Amino acid sequence: MEPKNIKAVYFIGAGGIGMSAIARFFISRGKVVAGYDKTPSDLTRRLEREGMLLHYDESVEKIPQACKNPEQTLVVYTPAVPAEHEELVWFRANGFEIQKRAQVLGTLTRTHKGLCVAGTHGKTTTSSMCAHILHKSHVECNAFLGGITQNYGTNFLLSDKSDYVVIEADEFDRSFHWLRPWMSVITSTDPDHLDIYGTEAAYLEAFRHYTTLIQPGGALIVRRGVAMKPDVQEGVRVFEYSRDEGDFHAENVQIGNGEITFDFVSPIERVNNVKLGHPIPINIENAVGAMAMAQLSGCTPEELRYGMGTYLGVERRFDFRVKDDRHVLISDYAHHPKEILESARSIRQLYQDRKITVIFQPHLYTRTRDFYREFADALSLLDEVILCDIYPAREEPIPGVTSKIIYDQLREGVEKSMVSLDGVMPLVESRDFDVLVILGAGDLDNFVPKIEKYWRRRE
């Protein structure tokens, strides 16, 4: 289906945060937007108030007539919906265009200028930074992000006049191959998802293929030193960036008194005295990548400076939940060894004279099996490491692969222990932690509000 022919969009499983963001985008574009969800929620009720036609029981009869023309209706579904779902079966039997969320984002990059951020790590922060800069500038943007922004309390932004759409380009299951970026930042290509790709070479090949999808006239902004060799079409400009060198980089970095400032060096125009609103050392490099794409999209120096100064971060990305002289509580989504290494370095730099304890929940048996030594090396930068059981997500257990293999590799001198999830709160209540980091992409983060509440009540 040609995007210009889409008159109506029907969602099967409309109530998820990712699906609802796309629904709101099409509502803002004046399309007929309707759908099904299993249960009503605050989010679905908001969608209904905004103009979406929703129902909550499987029924072909309840599909609006405006959504029953296969030449003009796009159907979007979530993989959580069973294949035998009555409405999904009907749409398939009647020749409708049916797409998953990643495919729809790809469709949007064919009708808008996609500003995409890919990479093993750093993509959520970098994409949300870029989106915030653009949103606060005269350029504006739409955005579909991988985390809830602290500035807006949502993972998406809408504009009824901007042609730009910021998208977090996810390499899992090769989803980013659906995209046709106008510009892209690639933050990193450290091997991950080897359960999907099998080898590092295959992983890097997926990123190489992704660079071929950038549209002529656009640009690739790739972190200096990545293992992947870009393969862009003729007419695509290629830039390098990093914290300290490249076409875009930072100079005169100042870190102290809870603040970070630097000068943004660019082949377009230098921007001095940039202050990070979310002052974490790792965010200097993320900011350089975000500012590069925003500047190439037309943001002025004043807009770049204002955007970075007012950016507040993303939930679970170096998220300070308590920060005072007695306690510091940080929630961080980092779950790849390189991410943890960078987080540990930033935390150590911020709190050089305080005891730093991390409670870490490994994510996936395959990732633990493939990188347990690297996990141990990164965690060993901190003073005390407490390990929880592996969060399996989609995987079945692998014999011999437990958190113990990380535990056994931790360096000498690091305090170490293991704890079950049931033991996390009793442990916290029995200790007086100084700097405590809750680390990982699993369900350990569910304890963060409880820890925060306990600490604040005890004060």
Side-chain angles (χ1 to χ4, degrees):
M1 176 184 290
E2 287 293 322
K4 65 182 180 182
N5 294 334
I6 297 173
K7 307 297 183 187
V9 188
Y10 191 87
F11 290 81
I12 305 178
I17 190 72
M19 293 280 278
S20 63
I22 297 175
R24 280 175 155 161
F25 174 84
F26 283 114
I27 291 171
S28 76
R29 288 301 189 267
K31 309 296 183 184
V32 175
V33 179
Y36 156 88
D37 202 76
K38 190 173 183 179
T39 55
S41 65
D42 288 341
L43 187 51
T44 60
R45 283 186 279 269
R46 286 201 298 272
L47 289 169
E48 290 184 90
R49 288 196 295 270
E50 292 169 21
M52 189 173 186
L53 306 173
L54 278 169
H55 60 271
Y56 302 94
D57 53 320
E58 294 181 40
S59 173
V60 172
E61 287 71 29
K62 291 191 176 182
I63 300 172
Q65 196 61 39
C67 299
K68 288 188 173 180
N69 183 340
E71 295 180 359
Q72 297 182 341
T73 302
L74 173 65
V75 179
V76 187
Y77 77 103
T78 171
V81 171
E84 62 273 15
H85 188 281
E86 177 183 331
E87 297 177 15
L88 186 57
V89 169
W90 184 85
F91 281 119
R92 282 183 172 144
N94 286 278
F96 283 77
E97 178 89 13
I98 301 173
Q99 296 185 0
K100 292 188 289 188
R101 180 175 182 269
Q103 293 172 267
V104 178
L105 293 178
T107 297
L108 293 182
T109 61
R110 290 168 175 82
T111 57
H112 295 70
K113 290 184 175 179
L115 305 178
C116 305
V117 181
T120 314
H121 42 82
K123 55 183 174 286
T124 299
T125 298
T126 304
S127 58
S128 63
M129 281 179 168
C130 184
H132 176 67
I133 296 169
L134 289 164
H135 185 69
K136 291 296 185 181
S137 76
H138 77 284
V139 180
E140 297 192 20
C141 72
N142 303 277
F144 299 87
L145 308 170
I148 304 299
T149 59
Q150 301 283 20
N151 289 84
Y152 307 104
T154 182
N155 67 334
F156 66 94
L157 299 172
L158 294 176
S159 168
D160 58 6
K161 68 178 185 179
S162 179
D163 196 36
Y164 287 107
V165 55
V166 179
I167 293 173
E168 181 171 331
D170 188 2
E171 79 278 13
F172 174 71
D173 202 22
R174 297 177 174 84
S175 291
F176 62 168
H177 289 172
W178 292 105
L179 304 175
R180 297 297 181 268
W182 174 247
M183 294 188 215
S184 182
V185 172
I186 295 181
T187 63
S188 48
T189 58
D190 302 298
D192 197 8
H193 302 301
L194 296 185
D195 56 322
I196 300 294
Y197 289 99
T199 66
E200 178 179 355
Y203 188 76
L204 294 175
E205 166 58 23
F207 275 90
R208 184 208 64 79
H209 178 70
Y210 170 75
T211 66
T212 70
L213 305 176
I214 300 171
Q215 300 179 39
L220 170 64
I221 308 147
V222 61
R223 186 190 179 279
R224 192 179 182 93
V226 298
M228 178 271 312
K229 184 175 175 59
D231 183 14
V232 299
Q233 300 182 58
E234 185 176 350
V236 175
R237 295 167 291 168
V238 178
F239 301 94
E240 289 189 335
Y241 83 99
S242 73
R243 170 172 165 158
D244 300 313
E245 56 185 357
D247 301 300
F248 298 93
H249 65 272
E251 287 184 354
N252 300 324
V253 176
Q254 303 291 323
I255 303 175
N257 298 319
E259 294 186 352
I260 296 178
T261 60
F262 62 91
D263 296 339
F264 174 64
V265 179
S266 158
I268 300 170
E269 185 175 3
R270 184 184 180 107
V271 182
N272 292 330
N273 196 32
V274 176
K275 182 178 180 180
L276 287 184
H278 193 227
I280 309 300
I282 192 175
N283 275 350
I284 299 170
E285 184 167 272
N286 293 330
V288 171
M291 292 174 69
M293 191 153 64
Q295 189 179 54
L296 287 167
S297 301
C299 289
T300 68
E302 293 75 19
E303 289 170 340
L304 293 170
R305 198 179 289 112
Y306 178 80
M308 289 315 313
T310 55
Y311 173 76
L312 300 178
V314 179
E315 289 183 8
R316 295 187 70 182
R317 267 67 172 189
F318 225 109
D319 185 3
F320 285 96
R321 303 298 294 263
V322 177
K323 189 177 182 181
D324 56 40
D325 293 338
R326 181 179 177 186
H327 293 300
V328 175
L329 176 62
I330 301 170
S331 171
D332 196 1
Y333 188 76
H335 54 283
H336 184 278
K338 188 67 181 297
E339 291 175 330
I340 293 171
L341 180 64
E342 295 299 333
S343 289
R345 285 172 174 166
S346 288
I347 296 166
R348 177 59 69 195
Q349 192 170 0
L350 288 170
Y351 299 107
Q352 297 178 17
D353 302 320
R354 299 176 69 168
K355 182 178 179 180
I356 304 168
T357 300
V358 59
I359 305 178
F360 174 55
Q361 181 187 42
H363 186 267
L364 299 180
Y365 293 104
T366 53
R367 187 181 284 128
T368 305
R369 176 198 64 197
D370 295 335
F371 301 116
Y372 66 94
R373 293 184 183 87
E374 291 85 349
F375 278 124
D377 286 344
L379 293 166
S380 293
L381 292 180
L382 305 177
D383 301 301
E384 181 182 11
V385 178
I386 302 168
L387 290 165
C388 295
D389 292 337
I390 295 169
Y391 183 77
R394 58 189 179 272
E395 294 186 340
E396 294 297 322
I398 298 174
V401 178
T402 70
S403 298
K404 185 69 161 51
I405 63 176
I406 299 175
Y407 178 94
D408 290 340
Q409 294 290 322
L410 291 166
R411 295 175 193 165
E412 188 174 345
V414 176
E415 295 180 42
K416 60 183 184 179
S417 59
M418 298 182 69
V419 67
S420 67
L421 282 182
D422 290 341
V424 169
M425 280 310 299
L427 175 67
V428 170
E429 292 170 1
S430 69
R431 296 272 303 275
D432 190 27
F433 292 103
D434 187 0
V435 178
L436 179 61
V437 185
I438 305 299
L439 190 66
D443 55 1
L444 176 64
D445 187 72
N446 293 340
F447 289 97
V448 171
K450 300 175 184 177
I451 298 171
E452 179 181 359
K453 183 177 180 180
Y454 173 74
W455 278 6
R456 294 192 187 282
R457 187 173 67 240
R458 195 174 61 174
E459 290 177 352

